């Protein structure tokens, strides 16, 4: 390839003229698929003097390798890189990387890592030899390149478990002694270059030990060396004059990154491998000796070193970055439970609380500046603390939670400290009051709320007095951040039962006033605090009079700031105060629509500015989550209006822009959790994330059509949008309401009907759909056959062929999938038996299908399954003898044997339907498409008490004895050195491992699980009375085709004959009951007429 010409095209992509850039990019797109493209780019990177051209070439190089190295598997639409090019490229890459300038190197490193993921070690066997040669030179650039190579390899093996990292364990044993020696030399330097190289050394260790600890590193000497390096790095004094003034920039300095990852490595060694109370169950035997040794020999030294850094920070003799301070607090958190470390921590507790924990929890200068200048960002930091993983105040809060739940006697220490702070504030002269301290004290007490209000808590009865004395006055504090904290503290104590109803009245009045506060954070905190207060009857009654005004304030807040929790408040209020809000429903829906439209337009604008390398992950931000909450509020509003069809019709018109903008702009992306949970129509999920605007819009469509029991022109417009989005690549979402409630329009407009049939076909024929999607396709086909009887004959062959093709070729192992495929054909038989049999016979499928059907009778466990099979068999009984295909004539008598078994099990199925058990499509206790964490949530709640940590003491205390004692003291008053506390998180990890194994086992045995009864699925089949249907068909057969009747009944044994007689008797009893009910209804009408 002409390198000069290629360079010219790359240079043209930087031209200011848009047409020139566009033409050059098109040429490069063509060139990248031609032989020699990679080598030519590498030539440019190697010799180019113009920085922008070299960088652009490196970016093109990275993208080509990313998309083409394993194109067939990851990027099937891109041309794979030829094998003969790969070998030469790998030979040249490392030398070019060694000499490349920093910006170019940052593009080449991920390129190298991508290749390593696929080629190491088999296709790149000399990579480690080259790396070791680079590490053993005396040239700084070569050593730097060797470090980058080793880091890339460590990243490749980061998540691999023992059985998949034997090669890597050998690499660690061979290379890490050199790495440690390099690090020990670098830590004594002060240059930025040395800091950058040491950062790579420390990160190599981080990735190498992320999931497993190699045998070499379990040895005493290597571990001493590495821990010494990290402690030396942590203790290294870095003169402030060498660092930027801005704290964020300072924290990004390589030396402080070295410190951060050194803290991180020490913490991880302790938490994952060196703490016996926190080791994972599966690793305990393997790491038991190491953990015991680490706990007694290394962890105390780490603790000592951390205390030294705390002392310097407290004395203001040293600056510590937020991530480092957070990691120090995280380590202290882990020291609470092990007996050995608690002995070190306990004597320091009062000083740590007063001089570390409390100052960190108080408002900083930065916090107060944000409160005044950027209140929205202030709220984001305070309300979304789970996102601030490196925030010291979050780590301090976690420490307090662990401390009070695990070493409960320390709660009194904290409460005394808090009381001293608030009492000092109360008694101080106005000019000497410290509002930051008061705010910090309230934050601390809010963190302890669950412990203070625990069952049998000796201080729970003092909480109300504390509120009256120390929280109520701050609703009128001159300091906005203190008013906001008063609201937040009230929310934290949501389970506090006030004994004086007047106090609730005062709270309600103060919260309403706070919702009109001039400061945005106060208004938001007040709104969030109001949500849990509705459990109090006094407040709920008071709110009924002003709920429209409150909703207006909430909507205004939602437009002022993107806080997803506000949408949850609105949704709760819409549900609780449905009657009061009905007269304002239209106006409320308009405002919710406008809020959603604003949020989505901002999302669309931001996403349109993303570059190729941007990920879609930050779609999960405040705006998107808030938009989701608004949609959920709209859905709740619709469900409360089921009895008001006129208002519903108005709402449909109001909400069509919401549906349009969501579907037209493809706001489902990788986040579409497809399926209709309420009515049981579930489809596969690409992601386990909850953010799903697409799904919520379909919930709104479903709610509108289900509540109205009809399909308006507006909803048919929505159906058109749904069909369009499906064609454009959206995931399948089936709406049987359009069939059940819109059958007349479907028959009038064949285009709509054909669209539905096409959707069914697409789910079966497209590779982008799986088994669960095809279950949805089966159900949509079933809905058409049941609701449009006599009008879809032309589509019956399609449905039968789609179902049988999958049954014949895929041989579905999962019962639900197999049953739904069979029922697609059974529905066709019930719809038109002769037509369905003709299609089966034409394809040679008849005998195979009947064998499948009757061998799977026991798998049809739902009432719906049994009634459908009964109705289909009755339809077959209505055929003339000459209409029965020759291939199944011999087995035809089995029809009655099959129907006997169905009637035998029908009563139990009906009883089960009235009290449905928890089950799922694929396995028990698991909902298809639900994330693992969500699947286990209920089990977690059910077993949470098992994970309550033991109290202070040498021995464990039974879970039932945890908490407050009968005399108001803590259970278990033990000696000075208390015992280990069971690690709750470690037990939960064990639990997750066990549950994951159960899920795997359930999946393997899913064929044995029953299908879930879809109790809300309304179909015409529900109106079928199976006993009467069968009796009439049997009598008709006896009268019209006595020979066929005899051939069917003579094979029945006495027990089966008794079942048939029982069915006939039940049919007569049902007919008599129906006649009596009709007569009684007529008599009531006559009596009513006489009364008039």
């Amino acid at each position: 390839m002409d390198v000069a010409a290629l360079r010219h095209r790359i240079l043209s992509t930087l031209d200011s003229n848009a047409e020139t850039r566009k033409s050059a990019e098109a040429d490069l797109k063509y060139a990248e698929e031609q032989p020699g493209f990679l080598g030519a780019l590498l030539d440019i990177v190697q010799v180019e003097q113009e920085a922008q051209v070299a960088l652009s070439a490196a970016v093109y190089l990275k993208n080509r390798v990313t998309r083409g190295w394993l194109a067939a598997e990851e990027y099937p639409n891109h041309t794979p890189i030829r094998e003969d090019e790969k070998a030469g490229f790998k030979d040249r890459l490392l030398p070019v990387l060694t000499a490349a300038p920093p910006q170019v190197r940052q593009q080449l490193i991920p390129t190298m890592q991508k290749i390593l993921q696929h080629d190491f070690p088999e296709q790149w066997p000399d990579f480690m030899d080259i790396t070791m040669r680079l590490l053993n030179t005396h040239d700084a650039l070569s050593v730097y390149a060797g470090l980058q190579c080793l880091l890339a390899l460590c990243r490749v093996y980061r998540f691999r478990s023992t059985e998949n990292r034997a090669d890597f364990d050998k690499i660690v044993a061979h290379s890490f002694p050199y790495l440690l020696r390099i690090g020990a030399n670098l830590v004594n330097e002060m240059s930025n270059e040395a800091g950058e190289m040491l950062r790579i050394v420390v990160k190599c260790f981080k990735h190498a030990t992320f999931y497993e600890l190699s045998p070499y590193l379990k040895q005493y000497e290597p571990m001493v060396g590495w821990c010494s390096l990290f402690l030396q790095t942590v203790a290294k004094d870095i003169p402030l004059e060498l660092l930027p003034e801005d704290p964020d920039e300072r924290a990004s300095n390589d030396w402080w990154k070295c410190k951060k990852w050194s803290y991180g490595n020490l913490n991880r060694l302790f938490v994952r491998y060196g703490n016996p109370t926190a080791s994972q169950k599966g690793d305990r035997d393997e790491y038991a000796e190491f953990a015991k040794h680490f706990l007694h020999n290394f962890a105390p030294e780490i603790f000592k070193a951390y205390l030294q850094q705390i002392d310097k920070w407290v004395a203001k003799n040293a600056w510590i970055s937020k991530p480092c301070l957070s990691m120090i607090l995280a380590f202290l958190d882990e020291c609470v439970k092990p007996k050995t470390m608690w002995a070190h921590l306990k004597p320091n507790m009062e000083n740590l609380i007063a001089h570390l924990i409390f100052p960190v929890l108080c408002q900083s200068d930065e916090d107060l500046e944000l409160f005044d200048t950027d209140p929205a960002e202030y709220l984001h930091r305070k309300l979304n603390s789970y996102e601030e993983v490196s925030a010291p105040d979050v780590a301090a809060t976690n420490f307090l939670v662990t401390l009070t739940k695990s070493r409960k006697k320390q709660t009194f220490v904290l409460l005394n400290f808090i009381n001293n702070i608030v009492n000092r504030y109360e008694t101080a002269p106005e000019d000497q009051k410290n509002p930051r301290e008061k705010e910090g004290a309230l934050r601390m007490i809010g963190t302890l709320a669950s412990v203070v209000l625990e069952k049998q808590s000796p201080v729970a009865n003092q909480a109300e007095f504390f509120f009256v004395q120390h929280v109520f006055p701050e609703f009128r504090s001159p300091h906005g951040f203190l008013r906001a904290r008063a609201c937040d503290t009230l929310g934290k104590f949501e389970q506090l039962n006030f004994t004086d109803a007047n106090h609730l009245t005062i709270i309600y009045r103060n919260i309403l006033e706070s919702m009109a506060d001039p400061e945005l954070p106060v208004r938001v905190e007040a709104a969030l605090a109001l949500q849990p207060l509705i459990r109090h009857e006094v407040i709920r009654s008071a709110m009924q009079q002003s709920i429209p005004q409150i909703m207006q304030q909430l909507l205004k807040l939602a437009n002022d700031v993107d806080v997803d929790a506000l949408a949850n408040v609105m949704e709760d209020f819409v549900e609780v105060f449905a009657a009061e809000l009905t007269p304002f429903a239209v106006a409320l829906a308009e405002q919710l629509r406008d809020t959603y439209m604003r949020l989505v337009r901002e999302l669309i604008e931001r996403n349109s500015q993303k570059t190729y390398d941007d990920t879609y992950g930050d779609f999960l931000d405040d705006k998107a989550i808030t938009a989701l909450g608004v949609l959920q509020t709209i859905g709740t509003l619709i469900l409360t209006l089921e009895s008001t069809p006129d208002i519903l019709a108005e709402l449909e018109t109001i909400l069509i822009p919401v549906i349009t903008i969501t579907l037209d702009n493809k706001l489902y992306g990788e986040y579409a959790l497809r399926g209709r949970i309420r009515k049981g129509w579930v489809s596969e999920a690409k992601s386990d994330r909850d953010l799903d605007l697409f799904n919520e819009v379909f919930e709104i469509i479903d709610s509108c059509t289900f509540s109205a029991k009809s399909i308006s022109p507006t909803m048919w417009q929505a159906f058109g949008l749904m069909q369009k989005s499906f064609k454009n690549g959206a995931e399948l979402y089936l709406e049987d309401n359009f069939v059940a409630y819109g059958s007349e329009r479907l028959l009038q407009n064949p285009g709509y009907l054909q669209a539905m049939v096409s959707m069914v076909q697409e789910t079966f024929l497209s590779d982008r759909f799986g088994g669960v999607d095809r279950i949805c396709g089966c159900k949509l086909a079933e809905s058409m056959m049941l609701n449009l009887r006599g009008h879809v004959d032309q589509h019956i062959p399609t449905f039968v062929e789609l179902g049988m093709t999958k049954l014949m070729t895929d041989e579905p192992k999962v019962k639900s999938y197999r049953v739904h495929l069979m029922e697609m054909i059974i529905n066709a038989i019930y719809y038109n038996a002769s037509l369905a049999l003709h299609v089966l016979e034409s394809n040679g499928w008849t005998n195979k299908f009947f064998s499948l059907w009757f061998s799977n009778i026991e798998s049809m466990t739902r009432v719906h399954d049994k009634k459908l099979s009964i109705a289909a068999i009755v339809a077959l009984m209505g055929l003339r003898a000459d209409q029965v295909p020759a291939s199944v004539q011999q087995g035809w008598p089995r029809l009655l044997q099959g129907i006997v078994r169905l009637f035998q099990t029908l009563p139990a199925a009906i009883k089960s339907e009235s009290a449905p058990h928890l089950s799922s499509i694929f396995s028990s206790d698991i909902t298809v498409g639900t994330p693992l964490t969500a699947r286990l949530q209920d089990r977690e709640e059910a077993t949470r008490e098992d994970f309550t940590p033991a109290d202070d003491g040498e021995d464990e205390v039974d879970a039932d004895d945890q908490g407050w004692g009968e005399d108001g003291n803590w259970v278990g008053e033990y000696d000075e050195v208390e015992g280990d506390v069971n690690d709750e998180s470690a037990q939960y990890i064990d639990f997750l491992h066990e549950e994951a194994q159960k899920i795997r086992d359930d999946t393997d045995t899913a064929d044995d699980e029953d299908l879930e009864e879809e109790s809300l699925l309304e179909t015409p089949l529900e109106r079928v009375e199976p006993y009467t249907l069968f009796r009439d068909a049997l009598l008709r057969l006896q009268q019209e085709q006595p020979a066929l009747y005899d051939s069917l009944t003579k094979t029945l044994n006495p027990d089966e004959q008794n079942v048939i007689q029982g069915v006939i008797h039940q049919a007569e009893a049902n007919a008599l009951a129906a006649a009596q009910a009709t007569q009684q209804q007529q008599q009531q009408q006559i009596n009513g007429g006489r009364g008039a």
Side-chain angles (χ1 to χ4, degrees), residues 777-815:
C778 292
K779 291 186 175 185
L780 184 55
E782 173 181 88
S783 186
M784 285 185 274
M785 287 186 278
L786 290 176
N787 286 283
L788 304 174
R789 290 180 65 79
H791 299 284
V792 289
D793 290 31
Q794 69 274 27
H795 301 301
I796 297 301
T798 298
F799 296 150
V800 173
E801 289 166 5
L802 289 172
M804 282 305 300
T805 299
K806 290 299 176 186
L807 283 169
M808 297 292 288
T809 58
D810 288 0
E811 297 183 4
K813 299 295 189 298
V814 178
K815 181 173 71 175

Side-chain angles (χ1 to χ4, degrees), residues 326 377-395 397-398 443 485 488 492 564 622:
S326 181
E377 178 61 21
Y378 175 89
L379 282 165
H380 173 79
R381 290 194 183 183
K382 296 301 179 183
L383 295 177
N384 297 334
S385 58
Y386 59 89
E387 294 179 3
E388 304 294 330
V389 291
S390 62
D393 59 330
V394 176
T397 300
N398 293 338
R443 184 174 185 182
R485 181 60 64 190
D488 174 74
K492 292 290 193 300
D564 61 288
D622 281 342

